Amino acid sequence: MIILATNDDGVRSPGLRMLATCLGELGEVYVVAPDRNRSAIGHALTLDQPLRAEEIKPKVFAVNGTPTDCVNLGIHGLLPKRPDLVVSGINLGSNLGDDITYSGTVCAALEATLMGLPSFAISLDTRKFTDDQLQVATLFAQDLAVKILKNGLPAETFLNVNVPGGTCRGATLTRQGKRRYGEGVVTNIDPRGRKYYWIGGAGVGFEDIPGSDCNAIDDGLISVTPLHANMTDDNAYRDIERWSFDCVKVED
Ligand code: MN
């Protein structure tokens, strides 16, 4: 049994270290992770420069690339064979609602799914890890890994797991919710007198949607959301099917 562990917070994150340790009880764990924090890098691939993978410890590789690069490189270059499971996390901070397309943590799991491997992402709703929080998250990750290895996951499906930072009252299956973000862009002047902008304001809340990932975390529940890699919207398809598209036709 081979497990690939990665993240977007960087190879030195205690979240990843604890995840790798707990998964080590299930099989042989290879860590392939960015050499620094690449949070909010989404599903980016590095195509314009060579990637280097430094084995900083046995079976622990630091890569000068994105989480998606790490999954690619792990599967196609660094691991002795295809892993049985890919796990991404434990991320410092939740990945709820709209976060999932920005999240390098979630997109690393997505990448594994695109390669036909079962995977999940796991994130902790906290600003600073505590031992208690990490214990809750790692034990859940371990149990979930066992379940996935036993039952498998439907094709092109992976799981996005979020763990509350405070009281944990249980775990529940959820749907992707909707977050609200502060709209402000911070504008300021740098030491050389030039204007700069800082985007990415903190979340200011979420829409109250029963059964959503955001609600679950707010209720102190571990949230497990099945996500599908194919984003085609069937309802929209049926509506838009009635349109007739006009376009210029060109013969080759
Ligand atoms: Mn992160």
Side-chain angles (χ1 to χ4, degrees):
M1 172 87 66
I2 292 188
I3 300 171
L4 170 58
T6 190
N7 73 352
D8 75 358
D9 291 340
V11 72
R12 286 172 190 81
S13 167
L16 176 58
R17 199 166 55 231
M18 293 290 286
L19 178 73
T21 304
C22 85
L23 294 174
E25 291 174 30
L26 307 178
E28 208 177 340
V29 176
Y30 285 79
V31 172
V32 184
D35 59 3
R36 66 204 120 113
N37 193 328
R38 304 302 296 269
S39 292
I41 198 78
H43 198 202
L45 268 181
T46 302
L47 298 178
D48 59 351
Q49 63 170 65
L51 293 173
R52 315 275 180 194
E54 188 193 349
E55 192 166 13
I56 55 176
K57 276 193 295 188
K59 296 178 190 162
V60 177
F61 296 88
V63 177
N64 62 335
T66 67
T68 294
D69 292 332
C70 291
V71 171
N72 256 276
L73 201 56
I75 292 169
H76 294 134
L78 300 173
L79 273 58
K81 68 179 193 67
R82 267 169 78 85
D84 300 283
L85 177 70
V86 178
V87 185
S88 178
I90 295 166
N91 189 61
L92 181 68
S94 59
N95 279 304
L96 301 164
D98 310 326
D99 296 341
I100 59 176
T101 56
Y102 301 113
S103 166
T105 308
V106 175
C107 288
L110 167 65
E111 182 66 5
T113 306
L114 295 178
M115 294 185 172
L117 294 168
S119 72
F120 68 93
I122 180 163
S123 306
L124 230 166
D125 186 37
T126 186
R127 283 169 182 273
K128 192 174 189 303
F129 289 129
T130 68
D131 290 346
D132 286 354
Q133 289 170 342
L134 283 172
Q135 200 192 10
V136 171
T138 51
L139 288 175
F140 191 79
Q142 199 180 51
D143 184 64
L144 188 62
V146 170
K147 285 184 168 67
I148 291 173
L149 290 165
K150 180 166 164 262
N151 302 313
L153 283 171
E156 288 194 66
T157 303
F158 64 106
L159 302 178
N160 181 34
V161 179
N162 282 277
V163 178
T167 310
C168 181
R169 296 174 37 240
T172 185
L173 204 57
T174 58
R175 291 187 164 83
Q176 183 187 347
K178 185 85 188 151
R179 249 180 131 145
R180 284 200 211 105
Y181 287 95
E183 283 172 8
V185 170
V186 174
T187 308
N188 219 327
I189 304 292
D190 75 15
R192 291 183 183 159
R194 293 172 308 181
K195 210 179 217 185
Y196 69 84
Y197 304 93
W198 208 304
I199 61 165
V204 292
F206 60 93
E207 289 181 19
D208 181 10
I209 304 169
S212 70
D213 51 5
C214 298
N215 282 48
I217 287 296
D218 194 52
D219 291 339
L221 295 168
I222 296 176
S223 162
V224 181
T225 315
L227 296 176
H228 204 265
N230 186 323
M231 295 197 277
T232 308
D233 185 318
D234 283 321
N235 292 327
Y237 190 101
R238 280 189 288 276
D239 284 346
I240 295 170
E241 217 173 4
R242 290 192 283 270
W243 305 3
S244 63
F245 297 119
D246 288 320
C247 74
V248 176
K249 295 190 174 103
V250 178
E251 298 277 334
D252 224 0

